[in-house]
């Protein structure tokens, strides 16, 4: 989804990937950012928090009529129906990020 948004073009791809991973971990309640992830990614959790919030905002407020082919593709069980997942409420995300 970020490929269609110009504001994400200035983000480092590694930081964007790490932020997406952290958001996915939080959405699935699989824990937070571990020392191993920090070591191999080069990013501490606090470095990723602003971008994680922006990504969650994008997921929450993305118009449904945009990117329908992508949404349809990732709604398939082959891709674990990730497009059907509901984003985290922004206040709950704030709480989860504080505990990371």
């Amino acid at each position: 989804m970020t490929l269609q948004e110009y504001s994400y073009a200035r983000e480092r791809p590694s930081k964007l990937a790490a932020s997406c991973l952290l958001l996915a971990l939080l959405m699935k309640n699989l824990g937070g950012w571990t020392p191993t992830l920090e070591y191999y990614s080069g990013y501490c959790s606090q470095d990723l928090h602003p971008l994680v919030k922006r990504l969650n905002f994008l997921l929450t407020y993305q118009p449904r009529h945009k990117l329908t082919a992508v949404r349809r593709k990732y709604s398939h069980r082959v891709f674990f129906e990730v497009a059907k997942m509901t984003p985290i409420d922004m206040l709950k995300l704030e709480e989860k990020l504080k505990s990371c």
Side-chain angles (χ1 to χ4, degrees):
M1 292 178 71
T2 60
L3 292 174
Q4 301 293 322
E5 301 293 329
Y6 186 72
S7 63
Y8 290 92
R10 65 176 164 248
E11 298 293 343
R12 299 178 82 186
S14 60
K15 188 173 185 179
L16 186 59
S19 298
C20 288
L21 177 59
L22 178 56
L23 180 58
L25 291 170
L26 296 173
M27 287 176 78
K28 296 292 285 179
N29 293 317
L30 296 174
W33 205 244
T34 64
T36 303
L37 290 171
E38 183 174 337
Y39 175 80
Y40 285 107
S41 70
Y43 296 105
C44 69
S45 177
Q46 288 75 25
D47 294 340
L48 304 176
H49 289 185
L51 190 51
V52 168
K53 291 176 193 175
R54 284 179 52 211
L55 288 167
N56 192 61
F57 185 85
L58 179 67
L59 286 173
T60 304
Y61 297 105
Q62 181 71 24
R64 293 288 175 206
H65 66 277
K66 290 177 76 177
L67 305 174
T68 55
V70 173
R71 210 174 292 284
R72 188 172 38 253
K73 175 181 178 179
Y74 288 98
S75 292
H76 194 274
R77 66 185 170 143
V78 172
F79 296 103
F80 303 101
E81 300 176 335
V82 295
K84 294 180 180 178
M85 291 182 62
T86 53
I88 303 174
D89 179 75
M90 293 301 279
L91 293 174
K92 289 181 184 176
L93 179 62
E94 284 282 344
E95 291 173 13
K96 288 184 176 196
L97 288 173
K98 286 179 185 174
S99 66
C100 281

